[in-house]
Amino acid sequence: MTLKHFNNLAYEEIGEENSKTILFLHTKLLDKWIWKRQKEDYDKYFKGFHCIFLDLPNHGDSISKEEFSIDKSSIEITEFINHIISNKDIEKVNIVALGIGGSIAIEILNENPNIIDNLILSGLEIADYKESESDSIANGLAKAQSEYLNEKSDMFITKAYLRYFGIKKEHYNDMEKILDISINDERKIAFESLNYTIPESLKDNKDIIEKDNILIIYGTKEDLNCTKSAIDLKSIFTNAKLVEIIRGNHLWNIIEHDLFNTIIRNFIRDHHIEDNSKINILE
C-alpha cells in the first residue's frame, strides 16, 4: 500500500475506485497502523468502499512543525475531506474514529455537518470542563510519566504501552513507533485529549444533535471516563445508537476485529446492528 500525502497529512487507501468513502481516524499517540485488521479484511467486509487510513497531525507520518491541537487538526482534516469530496465528485464521507480521533470528528461535525454521512465513535474521552494548561493534571501526569520512562529501556516502554492498550506482543514493532514522539508532543497530545469538551454551539444545534446516523461505542474494559463520555454524548445525540462491547478495550478494532468490522459495515450500509452475546445495544 502506497503512502500518500495531502499537505502535511499522510494516508494510505484501498478501493479508491469506489465512491462510497470511509475515513478512519486513530486514537492518541498511535497512527494508521492500528487499522491493520481492517486493511487485511478489506475484501471480506469493506469491498465496494473507498477506505482511507489517515495519520492525525503530529502522529505517524503526518509531520508538523506546529503543536498538536484538536482544533487545528479538525481544520486540516476538513480540508482533506473537501479535497476527497471534490476529486471523487461525492457529497459526503463516512468517519470511523477512536479516542482523540473521535474528538476531532465531533469538531468537524459541528463546523461542517454536511460533509459527514455516518459517524462512528469509539473510546471517547470527553471532559466536563477544560483545565488551564499550566495547571493541567494531564501535564503533570505526562511529566511524571516521561521522567519515569526516561530511565527505562525502549523495550520496557514499548511493552508498557502494549499492556496499556491491551494488545499482544505481535504488535511490538508497530507500538515501538510511539518512541518517535517527543516528550513535548506527548504532553500536548495528552492535554488536548483529556481536556476536550463538547462545543456549546453543537448542543444548541437541533439539526446536528437529532441526527440518527451516529453510532457511539464503548468497551467494558476501557477506563470509566470512556464509559461516561459515551453515555454523556448519547444524552446529547438523542437519536444516536449506543453500543457496549462486552470485555472490549480501547483497541477492540484489533482484538475483536471481526466484530468491529461487522458492526462498522452494517451500520454504514443500513444502520443495522445485529445483537449477539458480545455486545449490548443500549439505545
Side-chain angles (χ1 to χ4, degrees):
M1 199 177 300
T2 304
L3 181 67
K4 300 180 179 180
H5 289 85
F6 173 79
N7 296 334
N8 293 325
L9 297 176
Y11 66 99
E12 296 173 340
E13 59 185 348
I14 308 175
E16 50 265 47
E17 69 278 7
N18 301 308
S19 58
K20 201 166 184 66
T21 301
I22 308 173
L23 176 63
F24 291 83
L25 303 179
H26 61 80
T27 194
K28 66 184 177 186
L29 302 178
L30 304 181
D31 62 57
K32 59 187 174 298
W33 73 260
I34 72 164
W35 305 113
K36 57 166 57 180
R37 300 303 187 213
Q38 286 63 58
K39 299 172 189 176
E40 292 168 358
D41 293 343
Y42 174 82
D43 286 340
K44 182 177 180 180
Y45 292 102
F46 300 113
K47 194 169 185 178
F49 290 97
H50 176 201
C51 294
I52 303 173
F53 310 97
L54 184 74
D55 279 343
L56 302 180
N58 303 83
H59 291 75
D61 294 303
S62 291
I63 308 300
S64 177
K65 294 180 181 179
E66 299 180 28
E67 278 194 332
F68 175 85
S69 79
I70 289 173
D71 285 343
K72 178 176 74 70
S73 297
S74 68
I75 292 169
E76 292 182 15
I77 294 173
T78 296
E79 291 175 353
F80 175 71
I81 293 173
N82 284 327
H83 166 74
I84 296 296
I85 287 173
S86 176
N87 277 5
K88 297 183 71 67
D89 195 25
I90 57 176
E91 295 182 358
K92 301 178 180 183
V93 302
N94 301 283
I95 296 181
V96 177
L98 295 186
I100 201 169
S103 303
I104 292 168
I106 292 170
E107 288 296 309
I108 296 171
L109 177 67
N110 185 43
E111 295 295 332
N112 299 274
N114 294 330
I115 65 173
I116 296 179
D117 192 352
N118 297 290
L119 177 59
I120 300 171
L121 305 166
S122 182
L124 293 163
E125 293 179 319
I126 298 173
D128 293 325
Y129 61 91
K130 287 186 178 180
E131 301 177 306
S132 67
E133 194 160 356
S134 59
D135 299 325
S136 167
I137 293 174
N139 277 351
L141 290 173
K143 182 179 179 182
Q145 175 180 298
S146 63
E147 290 174 350
Y148 171 73
L149 292 179
N150 276 343
E151 300 175 359
K152 304 296 182 180
S153 68
D154 288 352
M155 180 180 292
F156 177 93
I157 296 169
T158 304
K159 287 182 176 179
Y161 275 114
L162 287 172
R163 289 192 296 271
Y164 172 76
F165 285 110
I167 55 177
K168 296 179 180 178
K169 61 183 180 181
E170 66 185 89
H171 304 288
Y172 180 94
N173 290 338
D174 294 314
M175 187 62 71
E176 198 173 26
K177 298 174 186 176
I178 209 167
L179 299 172
D180 295 332
I181 300 175
S182 70
I183 293 173
N184 286 338
D185 277 347
E186 186 175 344
R187 289 179 187 173
K188 182 62 176 176
I189 292 166
F191 172 80
E192 287 283 309
S193 177
L194 296 175
N195 282 277
Y196 177 70
T197 57
I198 300 297
E200 292 299 321
S201 58
L202 185 149
K203 297 177 184 178
D204 297 330
N205 191 329
K206 285 190 175 183
D207 290 338
I208 296 179
I209 63 176
E210 292 181 356
K211 286 179 176 290
D212 63 358
N213 58 349
I214 298 173
L215 173 60
I216 304 166
I217 307 171
Y218 69 92
T220 60
K221 291 182 71 175
E222 293 189 279
D223 65 53
L224 291 177
N225 183 42
C226 293
T227 302
K228 180 180 182 302
S229 296
I231 293 170
D232 287 350
L233 192 64
K234 166 62 177 169
S235 70
I236 296 171
F237 293 108
T238 53
N239 293 325
K241 285 185 168 61
L242 178 64
V243 172
E244 176 187 77
I245 307 300
I246 299 169
R247 297 188 62 79
N249 72 5
H250 199 58
L251 295 184
W252 69 288
N253 65 299
I254 295 177
I255 300 166
E256 293 280 0
H257 52 91
D258 284 321
L259 177 63
F260 180 93
N261 294 340
T262 299
I263 289 174
I264 299 307
R265 179 196 60 194
N266 291 348
F267 186 79
I268 288 176
R269 282 184 174 174
D270 57 15
H271 294 179
H272 173 69
I273 302 173
E274 185 175 344
D275 202 359
N276 63 59
S277 61
K278 294 184 177 181
I279 71 172
N280 289 317
I281 301 173
L282 308 170
E283 292 185 74

